[in-house]
């Protein structure tokens, strides 16, 4: 059974930092595209950062230069280091694993962790 368990959310002042972690159980992260999404109140869920064996790391423009996605293949975890946080980064952050086998795509989601940035 696959589980993605996020941790590290919380409340921070503008300009501060937080580090989110996603512990993967039941899958090997190097075989999946691992992503972080976020969803702010009243907005659609958006892709923030991704990391994969073949494509490396990528970021949405709004966080490029401030956020860093990484993975620990020993602990089988994916992390998102968030620096210079802004109030507009406030959202629930979700860890996602995606795999495409040539016919269909499989997704797994974590339960989400709240990030609140005060001005």
């Amino acid at each position: 059974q696959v589980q993605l368990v996020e941790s590290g959310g919380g409340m921070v002042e503008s300009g501060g930092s937080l580090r989110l972690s996603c512990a993967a159980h039941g899958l090997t992260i190097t075989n999946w595209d691992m992503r972080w999404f976020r969803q702010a109140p009243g907005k659609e869920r958006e892709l923030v950062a991704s990391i994969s064996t073949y494509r490396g790391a990528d970021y949405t423009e709004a966080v490029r230069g401030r956020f860093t996605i990484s993975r620990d293949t020993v602990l089988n975890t994916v992390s998102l280091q968030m620096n210079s946080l802004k109030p507009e980064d406030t959202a629930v952050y979700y860890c996602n694993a995606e795999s495409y086998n040539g016919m269909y795509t499989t997704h797994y989601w974590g339960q989400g962790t709240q990030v609140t940035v005060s001005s």
Side-chain angles (χ1 to χ4, degrees), residues 1-5 23-29 31-32 34 75-76 97 106 108:
Q1 183 176 353
V2 174
Q3 272 191 311
L4 301 177
V5 182
H25 306 277
L27 62 80
T28 302
I29 60 172
N31 296 332
W32 293 72
M34 300 301 298
L75 295 178
N76 209 39
T106 301
Y108 293 104

Side-chain angles (χ1 to χ4, degrees), residues 16-53:
S17 298
L18 283 174
R19 185 177 181 87
L20 306 183
S21 291
C22 172
H25 306 277
L27 62 80
T28 302
I29 60 172
T30 52
N31 296 332
W32 293 72
D33 289 347
M34 300 301 298
R35 290 107 59 88
W36 285 97
F37 285 76
R38 67 185 180 187
Q39 187 166 20
K43 295 188 177 181
E44 292 188 356
R45 191 171 296 190
E46 65 170 344
L47 177 62
V48 175
S50 63
I51 187 167
S52 71
T53 298

Side-chain angles (χ1 to χ4, degrees), residues 33-119:
D33 289 347
M34 300 301 298
R35 290 107 59 88
W36 285 97
F37 285 76
R38 67 185 180 187
Q39 187 166 20
K43 295 188 177 181
E44 292 188 356
R45 191 171 296 190
E46 65 170 344
L47 177 62
V48 175
S50 63
I51 187 167
S52 71
T53 298
Y54 301 104
R55 288 184 292 276
D58 198 12
Y59 305 88
T60 190
E61 191 60 37
V63 308
R64 196 182 305 272
R66 299 187 297 121
F67 291 11
T68 302
I69 189 171
S70 61
R71 61 186 188 184
D72 185 320
T73 57
V74 174
L75 295 178
N76 209 39
T77 61
V78 178
S79 297
L80 185 68
Q81 177 66 42
M82 306 185 295
N83 298 328
S84 302
L85 282 161
K86 304 175 181 180
E88 52 263 44
D89 295 317
T90 295
V92 178
Y93 284 71
Y94 297 91
C95 180
N96 168 267
E98 180 184 87
S99 179
Y100 177 65
N101 67 358
M103 288 191 299
Y104 58 86
T105 300
T106 301
H107 283 279
Y108 293 104
W109 292 91
Q111 79 284 359
T113 185
Q114 176 70 47
V115 170
T116 303
V117 184
S118 61
S119 57

